[in-house]
Amino acid sequence: MTRTSAPAESSLALTRRARRIGRSLTETHPDAHCELDHDGPLQLAVATILSAQCTDKRVNEVTPKLFARYPTAADYAGANRAELEELIRPTGFFRNKTNSLIGLGQALVERHGGDVPGKLDDLVELPGIGRKTANVVLGNAFGVPGITVDTHFQRLVARWRLTAETDPVKIEHAIGALYPKREWTMLSHRVIFHGRRVCHARKPACGACTLAKICPSFGAGPTEPEVAVKLLKGPRAGALAEAAGLDPALVPAAAATVDVP
């Protein structure tokens, strides 16, 4: 079972616990990074738009041809709709995404000389660019710290009881207050990595998690190590098991090839 609620934390205690989680994630996921392949702000913005309701792996399979065909904002602005739809069809919701990409290209050409702006206020005014996408672009293409509140991030900070907020913008501000600004971008990557590889939505690998001793939701998934270890995913599944003090040989060979969402 999930651990019972502890007495209300002070602001200082919450910050200290959050930082402890952050340090553990740093050690657990030294390879954390943006998993969308890109070269520059425009490609990252496009890839992030395509990633809605789609895995990064699938997006990365689609974008090489897409980026070759549409290298500039003007190319998206003048794209043939049918051709663009066909290229991005595998990512799902391709008609809506086509609207966003064409609209994005037109807006960039008309308002920003074809360049992706490096300010949050400007980014969120662009078609297809919400606050989450804007923070991805700022943090990874411009080096401007930002917190990316995707479904994994939202799920994990709730499980860790770092905030009771449910609105993504409020979550962003609440978590941002717990960590130095310089850490925001990498923190986002590490939390998302953990959510994709260890702390799954339906069955988290609690018994094979490096945060087991400090997680207030321990027990949401299998706590038996020999069961939980089989839930680890990704090419570093063995290393994740070892980091949790388990024998990496217990990780099924297929775990390294399982797609992370």
Side-chain angles (χ1 to χ4, degrees):
M1 287 181 64
T2 301
R3 289 170 181 162
T4 56
S5 299
E9 283 182 295
S10 67
S11 177
L12 178 60
L14 176 61
T15 299
R16 285 176 172 170
R17 186 165 63 84
R19 302 284 179 88
R20 187 179 175 189
I21 289 172
R23 289 192 295 272
S24 179
L25 291 176
T26 299
E27 295 174 357
T28 303
H29 303 288
D31 58 328
H33 62 280
C34 177
E35 295 189 272
L36 292 169
D37 296 339
H38 67 280
D39 182 12
L42 178 61
Q43 289 190 3
L44 181 55
V46 169
T48 307
I49 289 172
L50 296 180
S51 71
Q53 303 298 313
C54 182
T55 65
D56 288 358
K57 180 180 179 180
R58 178 61 59 85
V59 172
N60 291 338
E61 291 171 350
V62 167
T63 51
K65 288 184 179 179
L66 182 71
F67 293 159
R69 177 66 182 84
Y70 305 101
T72 70
D75 292 316
Y76 287 102
N80 176 279
R81 180 175 297 274
E83 179 185 34
L84 182 52
E85 285 183 356
E86 192 59 31
L87 276 172
I88 69 172
R89 182 184 292 269
T91 69
F93 301 96
F94 59 92
R95 292 189 178 90
N96 287 338
K97 291 177 181 180
T98 294
N99 289 337
S100 293
L101 295 182
I102 292 175
L104 173 65
Q106 292 171 343
L108 290 176
V109 170
E110 294 169 4
R111 304 178 207 168
H112 302 285
D115 295 325
V116 176
K119 294 183 179 180
L120 180 66
D121 290 344
D122 291 332
L123 284 168
V124 296
E125 293 296 322
L126 297 170
I129 306 288
R131 194 175 180 95
K132 182 189 81 171
T133 299
N135 278 325
V136 171
V137 173
L138 288 174
N140 297 282
F142 291 103
V144 177
I147 291 177
T148 303
V149 184
D150 73 347
T151 55
H152 301 288
F153 192 98
Q154 188 165 350
R155 178 178 75 253
L156 268 61
V157 297
R159 281 180 174 166
W160 297 331
R161 297 179 193 165
L162 297 183
T163 178
E165 300 290 354
T166 57
D167 176 78
V169 176
K170 292 181 179 179
I171 291 172
E172 178 188 334
H173 292 312
I175 301 303
L178 298 174
Y179 295 91
K181 188 173 183 178
R182 66 180 181 275
E183 297 181 7
W184 288 356
T185 300
M186 284 307 303
L187 172 71
S188 299
H189 291 321
R190 290 166 185 146
V191 172
I192 293 169
F193 257 57
H194 201 70
R196 289 174 168 173
R197 292 155 175 79
V198 183
C199 194
H200 314 300
R202 294 183 180 178
K203 191 181 288 187
C206 291
C209 179
T210 53
L211 298 175
K213 293 182 179 179
I214 57 175
C215 179
S217 295
F218 178 80
T223 59
E224 304 87 346
E226 64 276 9
V227 177
V229 75
K230 293 179 172 59
L231 300 174
L232 298 175
K233 296 180 180 180
R236 293 188 67 254
L240 294 175
E242 192 169 12
L246 304 177
D247 183 354
L250 294 173
V251 179
T257 62
V258 173
D259 288 349
V260 291

